[in-house]
Amino acid sequence: MRAAFSWSLAGLLLFGGAALACGNEVYLSKKTQEAAVAKAEAQLAAGDAASAVRGLMRAAHYPPMARRFEFAFSRRPLRLRAWRVAAIAVVRTPGHQPFDHGLPDAAPVQPPRQLTWARGVLARELAARPDDPVVVALDAEARGAAGTDALEDLARRDLMPDAWAWRALAAGRAHRGDAAGRDAALTRCRAVATPGVTCDDAPTLL
Amino acid sequence: MTALLLIALLGAPPPEAAVRFECARCHEAPDLPAAPPEKQCVGCHQRILAGSFEAEAPLLTRWQRRLTSLNHAPDLRGARRLRRSWIAAFLQRPFDVRPEQPATMPRLALTAADADALAAWLAPPDADGPVASGDAARGALRLMQLGCLACHQFTGVTLPDVSLAGPIPFAPAELVRGRPRAPDLTWTRDRMTPAAAVAWLQNPTAFVADTPMASYRASDEDARDLVAFLFQSPLLQPPPPPVPATPAPLDRPVRWPEVEARVFKHVCWHCHSDPAYALGDGGPGNTGGFGFPARRLNLASATGLASGLLDATTGQRRSVFTPGPDGKTPLLVAALMARHAEVAGRPVAGVRGMPLGLPPIPLEDVQLVVTWIAQGRPR
């Protein structure tokens, strides 16, 4: 117990005070928790949610020490990014259950609860940044059919942040029976897709 | 009365505008606290060049090789040799005073009152001093002999035969340090009174402690004659440089990684970064700074760019790909081209040229952006 506490304290001291940044690369260059989160973000963007989750859990030593993201990612902006990655991973994982050992804040492990947790994380972020298209699109993607109107609004204003948002909009339009709209969204999805984003067909919404 | 005397002796305190416009991000200034390290532009670059910036050695080496802008900014304590009216006008419409310095004073959102307040803080009231009374012909000769033109340009002036110039009396390191700091002498008559110019030449370190002209002390005769030449020689106005047209799209495919490397990650993200990566500060162009409110424009990623910015008028998110003031050019491209127009002396109403206070993005790189947008912004 004492050893675990000591390691936790050491982790806080090591990772709590990061380099001052005049360029973003400074954080990316550090072989610390920042690098772990950045890598998880890249994996998630490439469609590899499972690796993103595994990487975050390794960085957080979670499990077996059961340290949660609050301890591992002690700097708040970094913690929010880690949470966001975890939440999106839940949304984009078939079955919505990438965390086999409990969520970063120790919520129950069942898929419906994981999706509820992910939606809660993204909704809190949306409340903090309601005008950020990235956050709006992620929240909309997490909400499934209920988020389609928000994505339509972004598309109308030419503010769709990435291919994932177009894919989610295609799913929403398909859910409404708008086949032409779905195909148009998938065309835009393909145009801006990065490797790992599947734009061949829209996922089915519940 | 005592307070006025103290202010006269010690200098006026910084006005609110000096804090609001964050002069300390780039400049040292009288009684203005230094900016925090993470907000310093010049200080950050200087630490990188000195190798003391906290980053891994390979990164530092790479940055040091390509760092050319904002390695130095004038110490504002030296501004007291300048005309107050010139400072106020310059702040509102900055231009390239130092030809060898890539960066210029940025075009900030200053009102006339802001500019007047800053000028009043930095320089004494304008005074009509005596006109330059030296021997201009001898001044021209001394300008050549003293090697002034090793660092300075004097645009628009017909100079004496260059064979009159002796060997350059400066070490290479002095030239490396001096050239970027050297103003084009064509502006001297606008910037200073003859008396101030004479005083400067006689004892530069009385104004700027670390001036590259520290080793120079003009005699009374030299100072008067040099100033006579600087102020009296006829100036030929060069024709205004043309404002280039927006380039047409290329025929070849252009994808995000190319425009990111050539444009956005090369320059733009310094001021438009992702706050999640930089202690919550996304830079002046994102979370705000230099007197600008937060515009939330993140150019550190394609996703950030696609997320647009806060419109200054409506306060709503707006795509940077929607047409700018001309109704057809995407706002992003309009801002890049507006910088070309600013450098040509013709600022564009309603569009601030970007990158702010830096050389324009080369046209071939603007063309990449134009092409990428025209091709549907492929990642």
Side-chain angles (χ1 to χ4, degrees):
Chain A
M1 181 67 186
R2 178 179 292 178
F5 176 76
S6 300
W7 278 111
S8 300
L9 184 61
L12 283 173
L13 292 173
L14 279 173
F15 303 130
L20 296 172
C22 78
N24 300 332
E25 282 184 85
V26 178
Y27 279 121
L28 297 178
S29 73
K30 295 283 174 184
K31 297 192 187 323
T32 62
Q33 307 303 78
E34 283 86 355
V37 174
K39 184 177 179 182
E41 287 172 333
Q43 289 167 326
L44 189 68
D48 190 356
S51 294
V53 165
R54 278 197 302 273
L56 286 181
M57 290 171 67
R58 267 198 307 274
H61 305 289
Y62 165 84
M65 290 176 65
R67 282 174 51 196
R68 311 216 167 91
F69 283 15
E70 288 90 331
F71 299 104
F73 308 113
S74 54
R75 203 166 49 81
R76 182 173 163 76
L78 188 68
R79 187 165 64 249
L80 293 178
R81 284 169 55 197
W83 266 341
R84 187 204 292 183
V85 170
I88 303 166
V90 171
V91 172
R92 291 181 186 163
T93 300
H96 304 300
Q97 193 187 6
F99 289 93
D100 296 330
H101 300 279
L103 290 166
D105 59 359
V109 299
Q110 295 305 309
R113 296 295 298 271
Q114 292 207 14
L115 186 57
T116 301
W117 172 86
R119 286 174 171 168
V121 168
L122 295 169
R124 281 197 298 277
E125 195 161 356
L126 181 66
R129 295 192 290 161
D131 69 341
D132 186 335
V134 173
V135 182
V136 171
L138 290 175
D139 175 73
E141 183 183 348
R143 287 190 291 132
T148 305
D149 285 346
L151 291 168
E152 290 285 9
D153 181 56
L154 289 179
R156 181 181 57 76
R157 296 159 62 203
D158 195 6
L159 289 170
M160 291 290 264
D162 55 20
W164 291 102
W166 284 111
R167 184 172 182 265
L169 179 59
R173 286 175 175 173
H175 187 74
R176 290 177 174 178
D178 177 5
R182 177 203 61 197
D183 291 346
L186 288 174
T187 299
R188 281 301 296 152
C189 178
R190 281 189 287 273
V192 299
T194 48
V197 188
T198 304
C199 301
D200 295 335
D201 199 4
T204 303
L205 297 182
L206 297 175
Chain B
M1 187 64 186
T2 307
L4 286 175
L5 185 62
L6 275 174
I7 287 174
L9 287 172
L10 301 176
E16 175 272 338
V19 177
R20 181 159 39 98
F21 291 102
E22 300 183 316
C23 305
R25 273 192 191 252
C26 296
H27 297 282
E28 288 184 49
D31 299 321
L32 191 63
E38 71 274 15
K39 286 184 182 293
Q40 292 179 8
C41 305
V42 173
C44 179
H45 282 195
Q46 289 177 340
R47 287 194 297 280
I48 289 171
L49 289 172
S52 59
F53 189 84
E54 188 184 352
E56 293 177 347
L59 267 182
L60 272 181
T61 304
R62 180 155 64 91
W63 292 344
Q64 286 166 345
R65 275 200 302 267
R66 64 187 188 195
L67 251 183
T68 55
S69 283
L70 293 170
N71 299 340
H72 169 266
D75 184 333
L76 295 185
R77 284 172 286 237
R80 61 201 161 89
R81 72 190 189 281
L82 304 179
R83 294 181 201 263
R84 182 182 283 185
S85 56
W86 182 85
I87 295 174
F90 175 75
L91 289 174
Q92 289 189 82
R93 194 164 170 160
F95 58 93
D96 190 5
V97 174
R98 295 176 170 79
E100 297 291 320
Q101 176 85 270
T104 63
M105 172 73 200
R107 187 177 158 220
L108 304 178
L110 288 152
T111 64
D114 291 329
D116 287 343
L118 290 166
W121 166 50
L122 295 170
D126 287 352
D128 290 330
V131 297
S133 58
D135 179 344
R138 182 176 176 278
L141 189 61
R142 292 299 289 151
L143 191 84
M144 307 294 286
Q145 293 170 336
L146 291 166
C148 304
L149 299 178
C151 290
H152 291 279
Q153 295 181 25
F154 198 170
T155 304
V157 161
T158 304
L159 293 164
D161 186 347
V162 290
S163 66
L164 295 173
I168 294 175
F170 304 109
E174 289 179 290
L175 294 176
V176 167
R177 185 163 177 269
R179 279 180 176 148
R181 292 165 169 79
D184 187 330
L185 298 176
T186 199
W187 308 114
T188 306
R189 63 189 72 183
D190 298 331
R191 299 172 78 219
M192 304 182 193
T193 63
V198 166
W200 163 254
L201 289 171
Q202 287 177 325
N203 189 6
T205 52
F207 294 88
V208 180
D210 68 342
T211 172
M213 289 179 57
S215 62
Y216 183 65
R217 295 279 191 282
S219 66
D220 287 351
E221 183 186 17
D222 274 356
R224 279 197 308 273
D225 293 348
L226 283 165
V227 167
F229 179 60
L230 294 174
F231 281 68
Q232 294 171 8
S233 52
L235 291 179
L236 294 173
Q237 290 295 332
V243 178
T246 303
L250 294 162
D251 289 333
R252 67 174 179 83
V254 174
R255 303 185 78 83
W256 169 254
E258 186 176 5
V259 287
E260 179 186 42
R262 290 276 291 273
V263 181
F264 298 108
K265 277 273 173 73
H266 186 61
V267 178
C268 310
W269 79 332
H270 283 80
C271 288
H272 296 275
S273 60
D274 186 339
Y277 280 77
L279 297 180
D281 182 356
N286 188 333
T287 45
F290 285 135
F292 296 111
R295 298 297 298 276
R296 307 286 180 210
L297 179 56
N298 173 8
L299 299 180
S301 66
T303 300
L305 178 60
S307 300
L309 80 169
L310 287 186
D311 187 282
T313 307
T314 66
Q316 300 294 309
R317 276 274 170 182
R318 175 186 176 182
S319 169
V320 295
F321 306 115
T322 53
D326 69 356
K328 57 180 183 181
T329 309
L331 186 61
L332 175 68
V333 177
L336 299 179
M337 293 308 298
R339 184 62 188 143
H340 283 270
E342 286 175 2
V343 169
R346 277 163 281 184
V348 179
V351 184
R352 196 170 305 280
M354 292 289 157
L356 190 74
L358 291 175
I361 300 293
L363 287 175
E364 57 267 31
D365 290 346
V366 176
Q367 191 172 33
L368 287 178
V369 178
V370 169
T371 307
W372 178 68
I373 294 172
Q375 292 177 353
R377 289 114 70 178
R379 304 282 173 96

